[in-house]
């Protein structure tokens, strides 16, 4: 069951897009995602659960940590509540979250960016005008 919790965690981080999510906001994002999923809604985001999730995130090869625009290579130096660090996924992992799997290299960069906008909107969806505005299109 904890494996499913970690998979949902990776999905929620991936849905935040290429800019990731600030560590201080991570737990709010996860809480919202867990509540909307029939499998993970049973989990409390208490301290032991956070500690488990955090440990798995530090070990995952798909997780990246960003300080400004730079990737933080040494994960051992990152504190769970560091306000300056963001957490995200590498492009391949985000593509899998978006449902691309084997098609990750078959889409253009602009198509991938559009998928990221749609994914970040989650169940709310995104208006065509908002997509056009994001890409400065009329």
């Amino acid at each position: 069951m904890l494996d499913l919790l970690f998979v949902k965690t990776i999905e929620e981080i991936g849905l935040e897009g290429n800019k990731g999510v600030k560590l201080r906001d991570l737990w709010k994002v996860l809480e919202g995602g867990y509540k909307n999923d029939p499998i993970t809604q049973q989990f409390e985001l208490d301290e032991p659960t956070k500690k488990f999730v955090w440990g798995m995130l530090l070990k995952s090869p798909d997780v990246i940590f960003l300080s400004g625009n730079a990737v933080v290579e040494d994960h051992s130096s990152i504190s769970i509540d560091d306000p300056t660090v963001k957490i995200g996924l590498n492009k391949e992992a985000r593509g899998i979250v978006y449902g691309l799997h084997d098609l990750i290299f078959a889409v253009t960069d602009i198509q991938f960016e559009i998928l990221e906008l749609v994914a970040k909107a989650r169940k709310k969806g995104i208006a065509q005008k908002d997509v056009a505005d994001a890409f400065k299109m009329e």
Side-chain angles (χ1 to χ4, degrees):
M1 206 52 129
L2 289 175
D3 289 345
L4 294 174
L5 179 71
F6 186 66
V7 168
K8 183 64 178 173
T9 300
I10 291 295
E11 286 176 0
E12 290 300 320
I13 293 170
L15 291 173
E16 288 298 305
N18 69 338
K19 292 185 172 77
V21 61
K22 290 181 180 177
L23 288 182
R24 68 173 181 234
D25 299 331
L26 174 64
W27 305 116
K28 280 189 273 185
V29 168
L30 293 180
E31 216 167 67
Y34 291 172
K35 286 180 183 175
N36 292 324
D37 187 281
I39 294 171
T40 56
Q41 67 185 356
Q42 64 186 325
F43 287 98
E44 280 285 324
L45 257 178
D46 54 13
E47 289 308 311
T49 304
K50 286 181 182 179
K51 196 172 187 175
F52 166 79
V53 168
W54 182 248
M56 295 295 286
L57 291 172
L58 289 174
K59 294 176 190 169
S60 175
D62 296 322
V63 172
I64 55 173
F65 293 93
L66 303 162
S67 183
N69 290 331
V71 174
V72 179
E73 299 292 339
D74 180 14
H75 296 178
S76 65
S77 67
I78 300 170
S79 166
I80 195 169
D81 55 0
D82 188 329
T84 65
V85 174
K86 290 183 175 184
I87 185 171
L89 298 181
N90 62 39
K91 186 174 182 177
E92 275 189 57
R94 290 193 322 273
I96 291 169
V97 169
Y98 307 153
L100 293 177
H101 303 281
D102 295 336
L103 302 173
I104 185 90
F105 301 107
V107 298
T108 65
D109 287 343
I110 191 104
Q111 290 170 326
F112 196 85
E113 290 175 33
I114 291 169
L115 278 173
E116 287 189 320
L117 280 176
V118 172
K120 189 166 174 103
R122 292 180 174 78
K123 289 183 179 184
K124 294 184 298 187
I126 187 167
Q128 186 174 355
K129 181 189 179 321
D130 294 334
V131 173
D133 288 348
F135 292 96
K136 296 173 180 53
M137 299 164 57
E138 290 186 25

